[in-house]
Each structure stands twice: as C-alpha cells, then as structure tokens.
Amino acid sequence: MDEPLVARMRPFGETIFAEMSRLAVEHDAVNLGQGFPDTDGPRSLLDGAARRIRDGVNQYPPGPGRPELRAAVAEDRRLRYGLEYDPGSEVYITVGATAGIASAVLGLIEPGDEVVLFEPMYDSYAAVIALAGGVRRPVPLRPGPEADGGRFAFDPDELRAAIGPRTRMILVNSPHNPTGTVFTAAELEVIAGLCRDHGLIAVTDEVYEHLTFDGAAHVPLATLPGMRERTLAVSSVGKTFSVTAWKTGWVMGPAPLVRAVQTVNQFLTFTANGALQLAIADAVRDEHAWISAQRDSLAVRRDRLSQGLRAAGFGVLRPQGTYFVMTDIRPLGFTDGIEFARALPRTAGVAAVPAQVLYDTTAEGRHLVRFAFCKRDDVLDRAIDRLTTAFGTASR
Ligand SMILES: *Cc1c(COP(=O)(O)O)cnc(C)c1O
C-alpha cells in the first residue's frame, strides 16, 4: 500500500525519542533522556484522587472541566500574578497542556497563517502547526558564553524579522524546555511590543512556571500591558506536582479565544478526567509548601548533575528552570550530538536526548545534548559515575 499517512504529517513519522528509550532498555542505561520524575507528587494529591475514584466520581465532567478546578486555577492566577480570569468563561481544562496548545493552534490558525516560535522547541509544536496547515517561523535561542553560565536568549532583531503580514500567532515557552531559559521582563516586553504592534495572538506554554531557580521569577506574558486580551496561557499539573501521567492542563484567556479552544477540544477529547480534577483543585490551592520544597530540591539536583557532567568533561549551560540541563559535547572531542546520544547507552550506560532533534530549521544544536535532572540522587550519581568512567579520564 502507498504511504497512508497524510502528507502534512509525514515529516513527523518517527522520532528519535522512541529509539533512545529502546536503546536505554537494551543497554540497561540510566535514562536521563525523558523528562519525568522518579518520585511521586504530594501525598494529599494521590490520596485525594484515590478517594474521589472510590467515592464514585467516575463519569464525564462538564466539557470545560470541573468548576472546582477552574475556580482554583483562576484564584491561583489572581493571587500569584494578579491576573483575573472568570472561571466560567475564561478557564478551560484540557488533557494536559499538549491538548490545550493543540486546540489553540487548530482553533486559531488558518492554512497559510504563520506562527512565530523559538527553537529549539518542544516537539509537539511543529507537528500541531503542520496539522493546522500553518507555517512555522522559528527564531533561534542561542547560548551565551559558557563562562557566564551559557544562558540561551533570542536576538530581538531576528524576532522582529520573523514577523510578516501572514503572522497570526507567537508561541512562547518560558521556563523553556530544553534550554532552561526563563525569559526576563525585558525579553517579554520585546515579545509583547511586537504582539501589540502586529495584532498577534500569544500562546504561552507555562508548564514549568513553578520550577525556576536562583531567584529567577516566572513572569506570565499576559501580565504585560495590552497582553491579557490577546494571550492564551497554558499550564498543567504534570511538572508542577510530579504526576506527568495525569495529563490535566488548563488554558486561560479572554472568552473569545477560550471559545476557539473549546470548539476544537470538545471534538478531540470532549473532556479531561474527573476525579483527578478535584484532587488537583485541592493541591493547587493548598500544596504551596510542597511546590517550593520541590523547586529547592530540583535546584540542588541541577547542581549535582551539572557538577558531575562538568567533571566528566562536558560543557554545561546553566539552566534557570525546568527539568533539563543542556551540555556541549565538543570539549569531549565530539561534534555530532545525534551520533553521540545514539552511542551513549552502549558506550557509557546513560541515555540522553540530542538537542538537534528539537531544532526546526538550523543546525545550531548539533553539538548539544540534553540531560534530565528530575531524578533521585542515587540515579543521578549512577549516571555521573558512568559518564566519568567513560569520558572523565580522557578529557582531563
Ligand atoms: C512536558 C511538557 C509539556 C506537556 O505537558 P502535559 O501537561 O503533560 O501535556 C508541554 N510543554 C512543555 C514545554 C513540556 O516540557
């Protein structure tokens, strides 16, 4: 049979992630490739969900989500960021942030419309823009000098140049996966200014909003002047509470934009889960101490893994947030991250992700490899030992 997959999805046929996970299993490697924690979320959250399931909260919730969760999310946004959303018409619950972003793109992008975004990028963005028939206009984030921490940032002129008459939307992920950059208020103001000048819709992926380090504060783009009315903010429970399997997210924005999301999403998934939403509502309201302890613990683990990687000879680009640290493999004598990451489970017993697969148009990530530090200390230490054995002596 001829290739049955629609042409616009053919470039997305196979990802390197599946291959990396298979190699990790095959070589019994420590898997620092995938971004999921190996410890559980808060006890009250797990118990709260189990109790609701036993109590019979097992049928379809309302399409836009349980009112308890929409109210908790709206209150949380108001208390932490001063953003007011009407829980009835401006907050919508989705099957993870992924479905929220997908519905926003599918509901707002006409074929031929352009979407400006930053590369490297979370892998679902390119696929869903292609599904909508949209055109991607990626702007590179580039690392500064490693001696200064190697923070990734964009060039405002390149961002300006990416916007044209067909640009409809800008997709902004901060804190940013995979670079760990947390956009500053000044960087966000550049983005906001362009959105206002060109009448763009902003979609913000804020799934790491709580996971920032060294005092870097997450600033939602919607808090900037003129932005609330044109921004769909997306967040979710998975990263905040270490329950990535729960796939429950929320989209917040002005009612007409949220209606566009709803119109698409109701036919993709109809609703998200029920019992989990009630437990998440409680956790969003009550588990602030757990979140800040988790943030502190992640910062320590970032440092632990970064130190180990540096000792093994990697260049380390210091992340300000998220689960990930980007490394430069050139000091080890390698140049091709895809080749390097493919061999790593066999040569070192560790799995990682080559950053190049998260770039759309440039080869600027060729020498970069992403490691996840959202793992237990003993797991990180085992990975560090193995990497030091494989590379440490050669590079010193
Ligand atoms: C993990 C991740 C997501 C997925 O969130 P879900 O709520 O699990 O769908 C979205 N965006 C980024 C940048 C992520 O790293």
Side-chain angles (χ1 to χ4, degrees), residues 11 33 35 46 50 93 105 190 267 297 320 342 356 358 382 388 390:
L46 311 179
I93 309 301
V105 169
V190 171
F267 299 118
S297 149
Q320 303 170 288
R342 278 209 173 108
Q356 184 57 48
L358 304 173
R382 200 167 342 121
T388 308

Side-chain angles (χ1 to χ4, degrees), residues 216-362:
H218 171 63
V219 178
L221 188 60
T223 60
L224 275 76
M227 289 307 292
R228 187 202 176 281
E229 69 210 57
R230 58 177 75 253
T231 300
L232 278 172
V234 184
S235 193
S236 83
V237 72
K239 308 295 164 56
T240 298
F241 286 119
S242 297
V243 286
T244 57
W246 283 28
K247 296 301 292 185
T248 306
W250 35 93
V251 177
M252 299 152 285
L257 292 181
V258 170
R259 263 199 307 279
V261 169
Q262 171 165 4
T263 303
V264 171
N265 196 260
Q266 65 190 340
F267 299 118
L268 290 182
T269 64
F270 180 48
T271 58
N273 56 75
L276 303 189
Q277 289 189 37
L278 294 182
I280 295 165
D282 291 343
V284 165
R285 207 174 281 113
D286 301 332
E287 290 288 359
H288 300 282
W290 190 94
I291 294 174
S292 64
Q294 171 72 355
R295 176 194 303 124
D296 294 347
S297 149
L298 272 171
V300 171
R301 286 179 278 161
R302 171 200 61 174
D303 292 343
R304 192 184 194 99
L305 181 61
S306 297
Q307 256 165 35
L309 290 166
R310 215 173 281 117
F314 289 82
V316 175
L317 306 166
R318 184 180 180 81
Q320 303 170 288
T322 76
Y323 281 170
F324 306 107
V325 58
M326 288 275 256
T327 62
D328 183 344
I329 58 172
R330 289 174 300 185
L332 296 172
F334 297 91
T335 51
D336 185 332
I338 295 181
E339 237 169 63
F340 179 87
R342 278 209 173 108
L344 200 61
R346 178 171 45 76
T347 56
V350 175
V353 168
Q356 184 57 48
V357 301
L358 304 173
Y359 285 74
D360 196 17
T361 55
T362 80

Side-chain angles (χ1 to χ4, degrees), residues 96-98 122 125 173 177 205 207-208 236 239 247:
T98 311
Y122 187 63
Y125 301 165
N173 169 216
N177 171 12
D205 179 344
V207 299
Y208 297 102
S236 83
K239 308 295 164 56
K247 296 301 292 185

Side-chain angles (χ1 to χ4, degrees), residues 63 70 116 118 150 184 311 338 356:
R70 284 183 282 149
V116 169
F118 298 95
T184 62
I338 295 181
Q356 184 57 48

